[in-house]
């Protein structure tokens, strides 16, 4: 065993010197390898070491958030390809030097820097008191989308800290009302998370930035397999595509670009603050209207009603209300497209399953919602009065958690 581990270590060390960038590797192979490496780490890790990592989980996010506030990532980015000393970094960060890196006797006892280095993904330590930024640190400079994502996620730690108390108080019953989630208990409010954001501009800004980054990372692969011309084309004066909660119009713009000759009008429906944030003019034939999805649907008899990454923010109670409003507006020719994150099956890559599990917890904390399985989405559609037509999945299994459900009125 010892010999095989030595050989394996030598081989891994050799391979590391020849790896290309992750985006240049085969995604399916890359994800499978990450899963196998996770199994290897688990097999080699002692129970004591696993417990230690569990107890300190959350330290990295805390350190990253504090480093942001200090301006440390901005200071590191001043010299992206070379190391800087603690003295040089301190000259461009907030706080006293001891908070950044203090010395005990003759050994440096880095505080925030030491923790970032220990994580193995923020900085490299080049000498006793000099550090060089890694790619993740450079992504986290202030005002970047990645930095805003840290600011958006960091308050989750408060909910994590009080989640057990919430469970005890509620008999560990699954929350099912978006207005009685752990979020309301933690922040002592009766407002929904989205309403609360309106009262907290900085949190709202970080949320908007994070969602914009998420939307930019969305694939438009569904447009290559879904028969857009057949399903969307209608009379020129009719609505071909109503995008409910469609952000700033990413999907509509993608359709218009790929299928410019699709007949019919397109309507983007969003909350007022989102509509107001649209920076560029929408194309001819596309209208943006302010809409609360719990109120009667203003667009009647559209060819397609589309929801993307909307219902996973809502438990079944409110999700059925939203679907009910759409159902009221549809006719027999209308199609519902539900475009949602779907909990991966057991054959998916470990990283995909782990990510989905963490997102599922976040959905429960913020919204009393969940990451639904394919079967749960189908059941939700059935309860709302829809008949499933087809489930459109990514061509490569495990490559994406997003699944497209096509449905009609029963």
């Amino acid at each position: 065993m010892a010999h095989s581990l030595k050989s394996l270590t030598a081989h891994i060390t050799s391979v590391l010197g020849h790896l290309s960038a992750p985006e240049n590797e085969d995604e399916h192979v890359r994800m499978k390898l990450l899963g196998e490496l996770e199994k290897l780490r688990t097999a080699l890790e002692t129970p004591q070491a696993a417990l230690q990592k569990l107890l300190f989980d959350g330290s990295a996010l805390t350190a990253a958030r504090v480093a942001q506030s200090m301006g440390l990532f901005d200071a590191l980015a001043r010299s992206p390809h070379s190391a800087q000393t603690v003295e040089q970094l301190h000259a461009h960060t907030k706080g006293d030097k001891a908070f950044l890196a203090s010395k005990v006797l003759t050994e440096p006892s880095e505080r925030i820097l030491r923790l970032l280095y220990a994580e193995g993904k923020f900085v490299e330590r080049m000498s006793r008191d000099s550090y060089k930024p890694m790619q993740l640190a450079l992504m986290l400079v202030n005002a970047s989308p990645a930095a805003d994502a840290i600011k958006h996620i960091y308050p989750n730690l408060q909910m994590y800290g009080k989640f057990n108390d919430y469970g005890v108080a509620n008999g560990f019953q699954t929350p099912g009302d978006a207005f009685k989630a752990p979020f309301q208990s933690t922040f002592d409010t009766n407002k929904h998370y989205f309403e609360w954001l309106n009262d907290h501009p900085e949190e709202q800004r970080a949320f908007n930035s994070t969602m914009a980054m998420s939307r930019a990372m969305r694939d438009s692969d569904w447009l290559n397999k879904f028969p857009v011309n057949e399903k969307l084309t209608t009379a020129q004066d009719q609505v071909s595509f109503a995008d409910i909660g469609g952000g700033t119009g990413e999907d509509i713009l993608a359709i218009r670009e790929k299928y410019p000759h699709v007949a019919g009008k397109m309507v983007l429906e969003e909350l007022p603050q989102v509509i107001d944030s649209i920076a560029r003019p929408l194309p001819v034939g596309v209208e943006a209207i302010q809409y609360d999805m719990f109120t009667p649907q203003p667009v009647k008899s559209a060819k397609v009603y589309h929801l993307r990454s909307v219902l996973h923010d809502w438990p079944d109670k409110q999700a059925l209300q939203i679907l009910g409003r759409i159902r009221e507006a549809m006719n027999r020719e209308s199609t519902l497209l539900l475009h949602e994150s779907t909990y991966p099956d057991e054959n998916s890559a470990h990283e995909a399953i782990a990510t989905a599990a963490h997102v599922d917890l976040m959905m429960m904390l913020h919204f009393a919602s969940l990451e639904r399985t394919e079967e749960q989405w189908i059941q939700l559609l059935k309860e709302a009065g829809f008949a499933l037509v087809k489930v459109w999945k990514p061509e490569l299994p495990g490559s994406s958690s997003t699944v497209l459900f096509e449905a009609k009125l029963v």
Side-chain angles (χ1 to χ4, degrees):
M1 179 65 177
H3 177 72
S4 63
L5 283 180
K6 287 182 179 178
S7 299
L8 178 60
T9 301
H11 180 65
I12 291 174
T13 302
S14 175
V15 170
L16 283 172
H18 300 88
L19 281 179
S20 60
E23 57 270 22
N24 295 330
E25 300 288 352
D26 182 285
E27 181 66 8
H28 182 66
V29 174
R30 187 183 72 84
M31 293 293 284
K32 183 173 179 56
L33 176 58
L34 285 172
E36 295 303 307
L37 289 174
E38 182 64 23
K39 293 178 185 177
L40 177 63
R41 185 196 63 77
T42 301
L44 292 175
E45 191 173 59
T46 66
Q48 292 80 7
L51 175 61
Q52 186 177 40
K53 290 179 69 173
L54 175 64
L55 294 176
F56 293 124
D57 191 22
S59 297
L61 179 58
T62 300
R65 184 67 188 96
V66 172
Q68 277 183 325
S69 296
M70 295 174 66
L72 178 55
F73 293 126
D74 295 312
L76 285 163
R78 289 171 59 86
S79 182
H81 304 298
S82 58
Q84 296 182 70
T85 65
V86 169
E87 194 71 42
Q88 290 172 319
L89 291 170
H90 176 247
H92 299 285
T93 55
K94 299 174 184 176
D96 60 41
K97 186 178 177 182
F99 196 82
L100 177 67
S102 62
K103 287 195 174 185
V104 178
L105 300 178
T106 58
E107 282 297 310
S109 178
E110 289 82 2
R111 311 298 296 273
I112 300 302
L113 274 168
R114 180 168 61 180
L115 186 51
L116 294 178
Y117 167 67
E119 284 297 314
K121 61 189 73 171
F122 294 100
V123 293
E124 296 178 78
R125 187 172 174 180
M126 310 306 290
S127 67
R128 280 184 59 207
D129 71 339
S130 65
Y131 295 85
K132 179 182 177 182
M134 298 173 72
Q135 190 59 41
L136 180 57
L138 295 176
M139 289 175 61
L140 295 177
V141 294
N142 276 308
S144 70
D148 286 335
I150 295 287
K151 295 174 183 177
H152 165 55
I153 294 297
Y154 181 64
N156 287 357
L157 295 180
Q158 296 180 59
M159 286 187 281
Y160 294 154
K162 294 187 176 182
F163 189 35
N164 183 63
D165 294 341
Y166 175 90
V168 171
N170 292 278
F172 297 103
Q173 300 297 304
T174 301
D177 189 329
F179 292 88
K180 296 179 181 178
F183 168 79
Q184 281 81 17
S185 175
T186 300
F187 291 93
D188 192 25
T189 179
N190 59 3
K191 293 186 175 182
H192 186 274
Y193 177 66
F194 292 144
E195 293 179 283
W196 181 87
L197 284 177
N198 285 334
D199 298 332
H200 297 79
E202 180 55 26
E203 285 81 0
Q204 177 77 72
R205 190 199 62 76
F207 173 84
N208 291 346
S209 176
T210 303
M211 293 304 102
M213 179 175 66
S214 177
R215 289 192 293 267
M217 294 169 64
R218 290 176 180 173
D219 64 76
S220 55
D221 179 60
W222 70 282
L223 294 178
N224 297 325
K225 57 191 178 219
F226 186 76
V228 173
N229 281 316
E230 173 192 341
K231 299 288 185 177
L232 266 67
T233 297
T234 186
Q236 197 65 45
D237 61 342
Q238 299 297 308
V239 174
S240 61
F241 192 78
D243 198 6
I244 305 164
T248 55
E250 289 79 9
D251 280 309
I252 283 182
L253 293 175
I255 293 171
R256 279 296 194 202
E257 181 177 350
K258 192 171 183 65
Y259 298 96
H261 302 300
V262 169
K265 299 185 294 184
M266 295 189 178
V267 178
L268 170 65
E269 299 182 337
E270 257 294 1
L271 295 172
Q273 61 267 32
V274 180
I275 296 294
D276 292 342
S277 72
I278 298 176
R280 53 180 172 172
L282 294 171
V284 174
V286 176
E287 179 186 6
I289 62 174
Q290 298 178 4
Y291 175 58
D292 176 346
M293 64 186 73
F294 291 98
T295 61
Q297 171 59 244
V299 177
K300 311 295 184 183
S301 303
K303 193 71 181 292
V304 169
Y305 292 90
H306 178 255
L307 289 163
R308 179 162 184 165
S309 298
V310 171
L311 293 188
H312 83 143
D313 288 341
W314 298 95
D316 287 0
K317 176 181 178 180
Q318 280 90 14
L320 289 170
Q321 293 171 8
I322 295 168
L323 289 172
R325 289 304 190 183
I326 299 172
R327 190 177 187 282
E328 294 168 354
M330 292 174 66
N331 62 23
R332 290 292 168 185
E333 300 301 317
S334 300
T335 294
L336 171 67
L337 291 183
L338 193 61
H339 209 161
E340 284 288 355
S341 295
T342 303
Y343 202 92
D345 61 35
E346 63 276 7
N347 297 317
S348 300
H350 172 81
E351 186 172 317
I353 294 174
T355 298
H358 285 289
V359 172
D360 180 62
L361 178 58
M362 288 176 59
M363 293 297 102
M364 189 195 306
L365 292 173
H366 282 92
F367 309 114
S369 186
L370 70 160
E371 286 291 272
R372 296 176 175 89
T373 63
E374 181 178 324
E375 291 75 18
Q376 287 172 317
W377 281 119
I378 293 172
Q379 180 60 30
L380 182 70
L381 287 170
K382 182 179 179 180
E383 289 182 28
F386 292 93
L388 183 71
V389 175
K390 185 172 181 177
V391 179
W392 300 82
K393 298 182 181 181
E395 293 182 5
L396 186 60
S399 62
S400 173
S401 64
T402 303
V403 174
L404 183 64
F405 299 86
E406 180 183 356
K408 291 274 193 179
L409 292 177
V410 172

